[in-house]
Structure formats: structure tokens, C-alpha cells
Amino acid sequence: MGSLPPSLDLPSPPLGKPPHLQLLSETTLLNLFKSQENHLNYFFQNLDFSQALSFTQTLLNSRGTIFFSGVGKSGFVASKISQTLVSLEIRSSFLSPLDALHGDIGALSSADVLVLFSKSGSTEELLRLLPCARAKGVYLISVTSVSNNALANACDMNVHLPLERELCPFDLAPVTSTAIQMVFGDTVAIALMGARNLTKEQYAANHPAGRIGKSLIFKVKDVMKNKDELPICKEGDLIMEQLVELSSKGCGCLLVIDDEYHLLGTFTDGDLRRTLIKASGEAIFKLRVGDMCNREPRTIGPDAMAVEAMQKMESPPSPVQFLPVIDHQNVLIGIITLHGLVSAGL
């Protein structure tokens, strides 16, 4: 391959550090974390819990949708808190103050609550939104960190989030104020979750694609291999004649059944290795599966949770890679494998 033209030469990666940067020491970073901890403790120690309780109770009693709004970093926090409430089966939505003034305010009704996040309480976009939202009959709540601000004075309720200062050396970048907004909003969300008696099953139903949801939703029958995929044999079958069946189904075992499909035992790759070690000469060709199979394998039912199957596989005295699935009459109906559980995201 020829060299690149001079105009296309790729720059070399920079070595060292730019001359205007200082070395970042472990002590400096540790002091910043400690300072942020102190700022957060100031918030916890000075928060008016009567305000927090009134706020939480108002959201709990809401008959409509709980809207959140904010601008900039506070807007991101407001959106995140709204999404958390939605995942907890609470009707909520983020309302952009700009889009609201161009039609989206039509989503508001007199049954709704509108929560406005602003550090200063003087955010121009939110102040412009206020009279329009009030005209819709919505209940207005401001969440601010500066006392006696315009937004708080114009709303039906205000929650003051005590802010000692920003971690930023200039006390400007909103890194502590947004942290306490997030802590406050998420804590209230969990309080609402408890008050509404949300179950793990309901929570999981709202997270079907995540590991949390799958572990609470998926049952063994949802991820098991069914009859036509099973590596089955009879106890009278010769071991050497079942090697193809043992290796072709990708389960690492044979499931030993009788004529009525009752499970009699299992014969694994490991059992085969032990058989080869113990048998000598032509004796190996005369051994039958029933002579060497495990007559007391671990099993599981089809309605058990898939996560329970994984726990059973990993339990003492030694882990296994599969579980035969049987019904209440010990009839084989499937097999669940560790690979299948992992592939399903569990």
C-alpha cells in the first residue's frame, strides 16, 4: 500500500500534556469528593421535610398526569425523574417549556400537576410558561434552591432544596445543584412506589428487555428446549451407539426415558469420560446407558422461574450445565441449559 499524500498524513497522537495543564493529584481528587460529600450533607441536614412530604403527597394524590419541566441541566434532571415515575406505573411526562409555548401545552388539563425545576427560580422560559399553564388549571409546583425567587412566588407550592454552593471553584457550573435535584426526585419516586404498593412483578413487567425484568418474568417453559430438540435414549441402548445423539443436540447429555417418557436418569459427557477410563478392551462396546447413568439428576418444573433454574444449576455440591424439565408425574417435557439461560439474557 502506498503512502498517503502529504495533505492526508494523519497527525501523531500528542505526547505529554499541554503546557497550561497542571498534574492532577490523588489528593486533589479526594478533596473534591469530600467537598461534594459535605455539600450533599448540607442539603440533607437543611431540607425542610414538611415541604418534601407535602410535595410527595400532592404527587400521590394527583388524578391526572404529573408533568416535569426545566431548562438546561435542570431539564435533564426533570426528564429523568419523569422517566423513573413512568417505569413505576405513575402517569408522567416531560414538558419542554419551549415546545409548550408552541402547541404542547395542549397536553395539560386541570387534573394535572406541573413540576418546574430551576436552581435560581428565575429561568425566563419557565416564567413565560407559568401564566399559560395556570390558564389550563394545572397545579403548579416549583423546585428551586434560591430563596424568594419569582418562580416560587408564582406557583401554588414551592420546595426549597438547600444548596451550600456548587462544587465548581467559581460556584457557577451546576454540578451540586443538579445532584441534589436528582437525589430529591428519585427519593420521592421511591416513596411513591412504596405508597402505591408496586410489586416486583409489576416493576418487571415494565422492564421486559432488561435483566431485572427477565429474571422476574421468564419461566422455565419460556426458555427450555422442547421434546423434538431433546437428546433422548432408553436405558437399554448401548453407549457407543448413542454418541451421535449425545453430541448432536448441544446439551452435553442424554436424557434416559422409558416408553412412557418418564425420566429415568441422565448420562453426560463427564459420565462418558469416566466410562472410558473404567472400561477396558471390548467391554466398552457392551456397556448400556442404564449401567452408567445418573439415576438421581437435578430436575425442575416448567412453571418455575428461569432464575430459579440458574440457581439450582449453580448450587452445591457441584454445578451442572442443564436441568431436565419434568411435569408432576415425572414425564420429561424439556431441558433447560445454562447456555440457553445466558442467551436469554439471564
Side-chain angles (χ1 to χ4, degrees):
M1 181 177 177
S3 59
L4 293 172
S7 60
L8 297 180
D9 283 345
L10 300 177
S12 300
L15 301 176
K17 62 180 181 62
H20 64 281
L21 295 183
Q22 298 179 3
L23 287 175
L24 179 62
S25 69
E26 182 178 331
T27 300
T28 300
L29 188 59
L30 178 60
N31 288 339
L32 285 171
F33 276 106
K34 286 183 176 179
S35 295
Q36 184 74 312
E37 179 184 19
N38 291 334
H39 298 332
L40 293 176
N41 285 336
Y42 177 87
F43 161 73
F44 289 120
Q45 292 163 6
N46 291 277
L47 178 64
D48 185 337
F49 285 98
S50 64
Q51 288 185 355
L53 179 59
S54 296
F55 174 79
T56 307
Q57 196 66 52
T58 299
L59 300 195
L60 182 62
N61 295 337
S62 173
R63 296 176 293 107
T65 301
I66 303 170
F67 286 91
F68 288 82
S69 190
V71 176
K73 309 300 186 297
S74 293
F76 291 128
V77 173
S79 177
K80 188 273 176 190
I81 295 170
S82 175
Q83 291 169 12
T84 298
L85 293 187
V86 170
S87 75
L88 301 178
E89 294 196 349
I90 299 171
R91 279 185 294 168
S92 183
S93 182
F94 177 76
L95 180 67
S96 162
L98 178 60
D99 293 337
L101 297 178
H102 291 273
D104 284 4
I105 200 169
L108 298 179
S109 75
S110 59
D112 299 332
V113 174
L114 176 59
V115 182
L116 307 163
F117 274 83
S118 171
K119 171 189 172 181
S120 66
S122 59
T123 307
E124 186 177 338
E125 294 87 344
L126 296 182
L127 291 173
R128 287 205 303 267
L129 172 61
L130 271 179
C132 306
R134 185 170 294 285
K136 301 286 288 186
V138 68
Y139 190 82
L140 299 169
I141 305 176
S142 60
V143 181
T144 60
S145 290
V146 174
S147 300
N148 298 320
N149 61 78
L151 196 62
N153 293 333
C155 286
D156 301 302
M157 176 188 295
N158 174 251
V159 179
H160 177 72
L161 303 185
L163 174 65
E164 185 176 32
R165 60 158 289 141
E166 300 286 2
L167 183 64
C168 165
F170 309 124
D171 194 19
L172 294 175
V175 290
T176 304
S177 57
T178 50
I180 64 177
Q181 287 175 345
M182 190 74 78
V183 167
F184 175 78
D186 282 345
T187 304
V188 168
I190 299 304
L192 295 173
M193 177 184 181
R196 293 166 61 91
N197 296 313
L198 187 77
T199 66
K200 277 204 297 188
E201 290 71 25
Q202 288 173 309
Y203 183 80
N206 298 330
H207 299 77
R211 189 174 186 274
I212 296 173
K214 289 177 180 178
S215 67
L216 294 172
I217 294 175
F218 279 16
K219 293 186 175 182
V220 167
K221 61 186 177 184
D222 298 321
V223 293
M224 72 180 187
K225 292 187 175 184
N226 295 303
K227 278 190 176 180
D228 57 342
E229 304 173 276
L230 303 183
I232 57 174
C233 69
K234 302 294 181 61
E235 59 180 336
D237 293 339
L238 294 173
I239 290 176
M240 298 305 290
E241 292 179 355
Q242 294 299 316
L243 295 184
V244 173
E245 185 75 3
L246 176 63
S247 60
S248 64
K249 297 296 179 64
C251 297
C253 69
L254 292 170
L255 303 174
V256 188
I257 59 171
D258 63 14
D259 292 336
E260 285 76 38
Y261 247 79
H262 294 110
L263 180 69
L264 302 179
T266 60
F267 184 84
T268 66
D269 291 338
D271 293 327
L272 176 62
R273 288 191 294 271
R274 286 185 286 274
T275 299
L276 294 174
I277 293 173
K278 291 180 180 179
S280 59
E282 295 184 0
I284 182 65
F285 295 99
K286 300 178 181 179
L287 283 175
R288 300 185 184 278
V289 176
D291 299 329
M292 302 298 293
C293 72
N294 174 16
R295 297 282 180 170
E296 297 182 350
R298 298 178 204 177
T299 60
I300 198 165
D303 291 319
M305 302 306 296
V307 68
E308 180 185 337
M310 179 171 286
Q311 293 167 352
K312 201 166 188 177
M313 289 182 194
E314 296 172 343
S315 63
S318 59
V320 296
Q321 301 292 311
F322 66 91
L323 292 174
V325 183
I326 59 174
D327 66 13
H328 64 284
Q329 294 181 324
N330 197 43
V331 174
L332 180 69
I333 57 177
I335 186 173
I336 187 167
T337 66
L338 183 61
H339 179 267
L341 290 171
V342 173
S343 298
L346 293 162

